[in-house]
DNA sequence: CCTTAGTGCGCAAACGTGTGCGCAATATCG
DNA sequence: CGATATTGCGCACACGTTTGCGCACTAAGG
């Protein structure tokens, strides 16, 4: 209950307020504001002017209660150690702002989405939720499913079911492999991740396939833990190898690992790309810094999110649309680290 | 309106549903769930069990409509080019999760908060809003004020009025200055920002004061634009100077600029700290990377946000609490770049 | 037995918005 | 001119939750 200060009950202007001033029914005000054609132009103009004058702003929460629609979209983010997620959040926010939506942060960090988190989605009656990293517990998935909350995975494909928008990770891996082969590299290593996400697996498989097609093989695999520090540690392992055992090219499954890797190599006096070529994946802005100048495969992040929003919107209108997976092709950015 | 699929109207369980099953009034269910003492233990236990069994989750939106309280906190973030804001978002989310709140991203990026953004706060009836960077247009401030939306600036102090939680930027600048002087540096430069935030100004003033106290002066000032790229460009300007005109120590007003600065210097063959010492401000995690190993002044971010939440909560309960500014002391982290 | 105090709960309204239905007035047509 | 279609709007209820008020019942005290 809003307490008035100083005795004047400065209640906020609502549709009812406006209707009283205009001398019409609240329903008329609603329809006028929402542009219902059945309201005469004269009445509508009058009400719009009144709304403007009294600084009316709709109470979205009340609207939700009545019509089920609010512009609220949940967002689940991966850990802060990968700037990719921060970028995703910024992109999603910008896109939402443009489309008139709002982003509700549901969870940010590692760990899977448990029942408690899924309930938050219901508590706030979000129209849908974009999940960028974490996996869902089956219990949580069931909750969302049975309550008709459309879920879309971005940058990840669920194992059993669910909507998803993802980059062509396999194709990207292949493209990077071909690029390195064209550059004349003949032995290869992969800085991979310990988690079993579809994303990481597809990238690695694509890479491996094309390397083998070219008649070579991946001879070194190190877990880079999807972090800068993991990539850095991998560099130390590589530096510890006798130089002739070191691969001529390394594929870090994500840019952030590639950055750690390069810094690690640099500190050990190993030159990129003269001694070892490095390529990454994601296309985060930091990879373009002169100090890295990383060859990478850029994900079409803005477009991916746009598709994700579209998917949710479509399913809000029609719950019966079947599950859908969209794969978008990434773009190879050739920079200095691939030789 | 939730459309049922397959003929079975799988409506969500609400307080009314529960009340019907239990054979009591909805008001009794509410009070039982909220732990009102006037409900007998027997009834309460029965209802709690029922709620558990039927997977009841409260509809916060409806609660808001009726009681004005939801756990929604707006968050306004600065540009993505400074990872400090991403970290702030992650911290705020973690803290909110702990306290049972939710974060609604209101705006992320550059630019001031205009009327339209302020209205979003009203649309969703947020309990309050944390503003981490942008300045508010006076119109937007008025809207929030007249609608009793508590605002707290974090990492910034408003010029005229408003609540704020901030690090002791002036004191931090002084501490960094003393540290560099102790290390024997005798000439100084500052990589500053073009915007006129209180934060940047205080840091620079504190630094300047102590440098002068020690009998030296700041002889070089470059605009680093609060970005990595700005810091990098500053390095190129400095490298273009004849070596004896270069300051012996540089203070970048934020870590992200310090990082760009160091990379720029490195690429020009200038050694840190042998040729030039560098210190930053903020204490973002990236500054601790081996490749930077930056001496900096860490902001107590978690605590700052905790205080911000507390401030808002207090003002939700009691609108008459006057405006308040809290300043928290930061922590000097001495690493390798200060010599 | 009567009064008083306290306990446990229900009634009904309120929060702000959306919508199906229907009524009245006007326009259109035969 | 009368019948029908169209336009413009109001009524009433719904969404899920909270809360002031008050009623009924029990326990305690005189």
């Amino acid at each position: 209950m809003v307490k008035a200060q100083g005795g004047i009950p400065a209640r906020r202007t609502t549709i009812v307020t406006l209707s009283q001033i205009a001398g019409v029914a609240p329903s008329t005000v609603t329809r006028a504001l929402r542009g219902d054609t059945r309201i005469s132009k004269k009445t509508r103009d009058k009400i719009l002017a009144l709304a403007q004058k009294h600084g009316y702003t709709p109470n979205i929460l009340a609207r939700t209660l009545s019509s089920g629609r609010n512009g609220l979209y949940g967002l689940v983010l991966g850990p802060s150690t990968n700037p990719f997620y921060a970028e995703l959040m910024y992109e999603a926010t910008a896109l939402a702002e443009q489309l008139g939506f709002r982003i509700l942060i549901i969870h940010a960090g590692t760990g899977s989405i448990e029942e408690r988190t899924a309930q938050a989605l219901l508590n706030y009656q979000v129209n849908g939720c974009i999940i960028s990293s974490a996996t869902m517990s089956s219990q949580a998935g069931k909750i969302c499913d049975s309550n008709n909350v459309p879920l879309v995975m971005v940058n990840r494909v669920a194992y059993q079911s669910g909507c998803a928008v993802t980059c062509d990770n396999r194709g990207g891996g292949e493209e990077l492999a071909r690029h390195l082969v064209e550059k004349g590299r003949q032995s290869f290593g992969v800085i991979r991740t310990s988690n079993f996400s579809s994303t990481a697996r597809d990238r690695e498989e694509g890479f491996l396939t094309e390397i083998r097609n070219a008649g070579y093989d991946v001879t070194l695999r190190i877990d880079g833990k999807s972090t800068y520090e993991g990539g850095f540690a991998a560099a130390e392992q590589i530096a510890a190898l006798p130089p002739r055992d070191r691969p001529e090219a390394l594929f870090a499954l994500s840019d952030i690992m590639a950055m750690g890797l390069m810094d690690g190599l640099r500190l050990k006096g190993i030159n990129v790309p003269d001694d070892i070529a490095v390529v990454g994946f994601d296309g985060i802005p930091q990879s373009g810094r002169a100090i890295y100048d990383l060859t990478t495969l850029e994900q079409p992040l803005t477009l991916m999110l746009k598709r994700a929003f579209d998917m949710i919107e479509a399913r809000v209108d029609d719950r019966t649309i079947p599950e859908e997976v969209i794969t978008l092709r990434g773009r190879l950015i050739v920079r200095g680290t691939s030789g």
Side-chain angles (χ1 to χ4, degrees), chain A:
Chain A
M1 199 63 59
V2 177
K3 290 263 171 51
Q5 280 184 339
I8 296 154
R11 298 200 57 76
R12 83 179 256 170
T13 37
T14 98
I15 283 196
V16 177
T17 322
L18 291 180
S19 75
Q20 286 164 351
I21 301 172
V24 297
S27 52
T28 304
V29 177
T30 299
R31 290 193 250 254
L33 292 174
R34 310 221 81 208
D36 193 311
T37 54
R38 304 191 53 105
I39 300 294
S40 71
K41 183 156 186 341
K42 207 179 90 188
T43 312
R44 181 165 61 237
D45 288 348
K46 179 171 128 195
I47 291 176
L48 286 180
L50 232 49
Q52 176 72 28
K53 181 181 159 201
H54 289 80
Y56 168 78
T57 54
N59 183 335
I60 308 261
L61 273 44
R63 174 182 301 171
T64 308
L65 194 55
S66 158
S67 75
R69 285 281 193 96
N70 56 18
L72 235 39
Y73 283 70
L75 180 62
V76 176
L77 288 177
S80 65
T81 46
N82 191 345
F84 174 76
Y85 296 114
E87 205 203 337
L88 192 150
M89 187 270 295
Y90 273 95
E91 285 290 340
T93 304
L95 213 49
E97 204 150 334
Q98 208 174 300
L99 298 169
F101 302 150
R102 291 288 155 187
I103 297 289
L104 188 65
I105 303 279
I106 294 294
H107 180 73
T110 53
S112 78
I113 301 170
E114 298 302 334
E115 198 176 330
R116 192 166 144 275
T117 308
Q119 296 221 349
L121 292 171
L122 302 185
N123 289 341
Y124 291 95
Q125 303 271 99
V126 298
N127 282 165
C129 185
I130 291 181
I131 300 174
S132 72
S133 147
T135 55
M136 298 201 84
S137 76
S138 64
Q139 179 62 19
K142 223 172 292 174
I143 292 178
C144 290
D145 206 47
S146 71
N147 284 79
N148 286 324
V149 179
L151 257 34
V152 175
M153 304 252 167
V154 168
N155 192 36
R156 195 128 317 182
V157 175
Y159 290 109
Q160 301 94 343
S161 62
C163 288
V165 181
T166 169
C167 177
D168 179 6
N169 290 303
R170 171 173 267 277
E174 291 170 4
E175 200 165 346
L176 288 167
R178 282 192 300 269
H179 174 67
L180 287 173
V181 169
E182 275 170 21
K183 288 287 184 179
R185 305 288 161 160
Q186 305 196 347
S187 64
F188 303 88
V190 172
I191 314 301
R192 57 215 301 260
T193 64
S194 50
N195 69 50
F196 298 104
S197 72
S198 63
T199 306
R201 196 195 46 212
D202 290 351
R203 290 176 186 179
E204 187 171 354
E205 282 181 8
F207 187 77
L208 187 61
T209 304
E210 280 298 294
I211 291 296
R212 290 201 174 139
N213 271 352
Y216 306 114
D217 205 351
V218 170
T219 55
L220 181 72
R221 288 182 176 80
I222 302 179
D223 181 3
K225 298 180 198 308
S226 291
T227 62
Y228 175 94
E229 287 73 21
F232 191 89
E236 294 182 330
Q237 279 187 48
I238 290 165
L241 295 174
R244 69 174 174 287
D245 288 354
R246 295 176 194 155
E248 294 174 11
L250 294 171
F251 173 28
L253 257 41
S254 59
D255 284 353
I256 186 67
M257 289 193 291
M259 289 163 59
L261 178 70
M262 289 178 65
D263 283 342
L265 293 175
R266 194 189 335 259
L267 288 184
K268 291 293 182 182
I270 299 176
N271 185 282
V272 175
D274 294 347
D275 299 331
I276 303 182
V278 172
V279 297
F281 203 119
D282 280 344
I284 58 176
Q286 293 88 336
S287 69
R289 291 179 182 169
I291 199 87
Y292 296 115
D293 195 32
L294 179 67
T295 294
T296 187
L297 208 125
E298 184 188 45
Q299 297 203 55
L301 189 51
T302 309
L303 193 56
M304 284 163 66
L305 287 169
K306 180 75 173 66
R307 289 279 181 280
F309 276 118
D310 288 347
M311 271 193 186
I312 291 176
E313 261 199 295
R315 279 161 185 74
V316 169
D317 288 334
D318 178 359
R319 306 281 182 185
T320 66
I321 301 178
E323 286 171 357
E324 190 174 353
V325 174
I326 294 182
T327 306
L328 291 165
R329 193 144 189 83
R331 185 170 65 93
L332 177 67
I333 302 181
V334 178
R335 296 205 189 97
T337 59
S338 48

